């Protein structure tokens, strides 16, 4: 492999020798968002040779210190750096333009912590109230970390990167800070949540594995606490089973619930059968269980023969 590389390198040099010299046109000023200065930051580079263009563009010329403090880069200095780092490309480029470039690191500004906290609190409040109809909540952000956060000047906006949606007294959100639409930094925000939530309470003692329904629970308002409680529209309770037995008056939490599959083992379901262009319906007992789209094994209760069908929806499958 090394021998092949040695053969290719002279070929590239010969090829570039026949190409038109690259043009490097220096600008008079360059403002950067970082401290490292490359030739591409301070010049327009035109070249038909992709390898030469990449080599010139990525050449490091200098580093900048404090924001707002310009550094003068003379053409002679840039020529010296290029000849030093790319001796094989000598004669393959011409430098024109300004006699020197003033390179400056952009002034950064401190993050408006108050604006970010207000946005985070309002966003979480709106999300919780939309997710939990009937909730009465007051959300406020805790002060941000004392560590200062800086970003480049521009139009600042925010976007949620991550947020927990199970209400508790103390909740976390990670916010992306965008400047002119581009992400610059992510900031963790802690929020205090006070008020009450509508939660579900069992009307009667219920056994483990029982299918739940809206008729089996009451909705009551309880203060927000550190305990995670099931707080969602009551119509969704039909999608769950009880994980373990619970006594009457117990408040349901997400840990008490098991998502019920559309077809469950031992349940009697409707099976659609397409034969000779005719659609028939039959009843069967599920031997295995599965979500929508899954293949489950069914048994005909009359003949006790078994076969496979595809789950369509709750209690419905299709056999072909």
């Amino acid at each position: 492999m090394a021998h092949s590389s040695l053969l290719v390198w002279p070929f590239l040099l010969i090829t570039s020798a026949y190409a038109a010299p690259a043009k490097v046109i220096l600008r008079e000023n360059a403002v950067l968002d970082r401290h490292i200065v490359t030739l591409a930051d301070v010049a327009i580079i035109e070249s038909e040779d992709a390898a030469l263009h990449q080599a010139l563009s990525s050449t490091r010329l200098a580093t900048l210190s404090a924001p707002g403090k310009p550094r003068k880069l003379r053409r002679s200095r840039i020529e010296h750096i290029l000849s030093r780092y790319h001796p094989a490309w000598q004669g393959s480029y011409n430098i024109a333009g300004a006699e020197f470039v003033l390179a400056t690191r952009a002034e950064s500004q401190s993050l408006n912590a108050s604006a970010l906290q207000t946005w985070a609190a309002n966003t979480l409040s709106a999300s919780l109230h939309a997710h939990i109809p009937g909730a009465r909540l007051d959300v406020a952000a805790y002060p941000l970390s004392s560590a200062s956060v800086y970003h480049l000047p521009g139009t600042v906006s925010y976007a949620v990167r991550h947020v927990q949606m199970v209400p508790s007294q103390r909740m976390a959100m990670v916010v992306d800070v965008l400047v002119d639409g581009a992400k610059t930094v992510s900031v963790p925000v802690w929020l205090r949540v006070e008020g009450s939530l509508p939660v579900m309470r069992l009307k009667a003692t219920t056994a483990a594995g029982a299918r739940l329904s809206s008729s089996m629970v009451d909705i009551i308002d309880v203060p927000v606490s550190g305990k995670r409680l099931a707080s969602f529209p009551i119509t969704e309770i039909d999608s769950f089973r009880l994980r373990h037995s619970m006594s009457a008056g117990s408040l349901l939490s997400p840990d008490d619930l098991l998502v019920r599959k559309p077809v469950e083992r031992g349940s009697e379901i409707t099976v659609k059968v397409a034969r000779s262009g005719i659609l028939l319906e039959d009843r069967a007992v599920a031997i295995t269980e599965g979500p929508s789209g899954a293949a489950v094994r069914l048994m005909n209760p009359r003949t006790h023969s078994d076969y496979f069908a595809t789950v369509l929806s709750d209690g419905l499958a299709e056999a072909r």
Side-chain angles (χ1 to χ4, degrees), residues 259-275:
V259 177
R260 187 169 59 82
K261 294 182 174 63
V263 171
E264 296 186 311
R265 186 182 293 108
S267 62
E268 186 174 298
I269 68 171
T270 300
V271 183
K272 291 184 175 183
V273 184
R275 290 179 180 171

Side-chain angles (χ1 to χ4, degrees), residues 198-200 219 228-232 237 251-254 257:
V199 299
M200 299 181 194
I219 300 296
R228 298 170 67 241
L229 295 174
S231 189
F232 48 77
I237 195 66
L251 300 180
L252 294 176
S253 78
L257 305 176

Side-chain angles (χ1 to χ4, degrees), residues 65-304:
S65 54
K69 185 178 180 180
R71 179 167 181 178
K72 182 182 289 188
L73 301 176
R74 296 188 179 279
R75 184 195 295 185
S76 58
R77 174 62 180 169
I78 294 173
E79 290 174 340
H80 173 74
I81 292 173
L82 292 178
S83 63
R84 177 183 176 186
Y85 286 104
H86 305 296
W89 298 111
Q90 283 286 353
S92 299
Y93 54 86
N94 296 320
I95 300 180
E99 287 298 320
F100 61 83
V101 182
L102 284 180
T104 310
R105 187 176 174 185
E107 291 279 1
S108 58
Q109 59 189 47
S110 178
L111 178 69
N112 188 331
S114 177
L116 175 57
Q117 290 170 242
T118 300
W119 183 90
N122 291 341
T123 299
L124 179 60
S125 178
S127 297
L128 289 176
H129 284 96
H131 184 66
I132 310 169
R136 293 190 291 270
L137 303 172
D138 179 44
V139 182
Y142 289 99
L144 295 179
S145 168
S146 58
S148 296
V149 178
Y150 295 92
H151 59 80
L152 293 174
T155 301
V156 178
S157 58
Y158 311 105
V160 175
R161 172 168 292 272
H162 170 76
V163 62
Q164 65 184 83
M165 286 308 299
V166 179
S168 63
Q169 290 174 318
R170 183 178 170 88
M171 300 181 67
M173 175 187 288
V174 178
V175 179
D176 283 343
V177 179
L178 312 177
V179 177
D180 295 333
K183 175 193 164 187
T184 60
V185 67
S186 295
V187 181
V189 182
W190 285 95
L191 303 110
R192 182 183 67 253
V193 181
E194 297 176 339
S196 64
L197 298 167
V199 299
M200 299 181 194
R201 179 178 64 185
L202 283 174
K203 292 181 178 179
T205 298
T206 308
R211 293 179 62 166
L212 297 172
S213 68
S214 57
S215 63
M216 299 169 67
V217 297
D218 288 323
I219 300 296
I220 63 171
D221 279 345
V222 299
V224 176
S225 66
K227 184 178 181 181
R228 298 170 67 241
L229 295 174
S231 189
F232 48 77
I234 191 171
T235 54
E236 296 180 14
I237 195 66
D238 295 348
S239 302
F240 297 95
R241 287 183 177 273
L242 199 60
R243 186 184 296 273
H244 36 243
S245 61
M246 297 182 70
S247 59
S250 297
L251 300 180
L252 294 176
S253 78
D255 296 333
D256 299 324
L257 305 176
L258 287 171
V259 177
R260 187 169 59 82
K261 294 182 174 63
V263 171
E264 296 186 311
R265 186 182 293 108
S267 62
E268 186 174 298
I269 68 171
T270 300
V271 183
K272 291 184 175 183
V273 184
R275 290 179 180 171
S276 303
I278 301 175
L279 185 63
L280 306 174
E281 284 192 359
D282 199 2
R283 302 295 292 175
V285 177
I287 300 175
T288 60
E289 61 185 22
S292 295
V296 292
R297 189 179 178 190
L298 307 177
M299 183 184 70
N300 186 312
R302 299 183 303 278
T303 64
H304 297 285

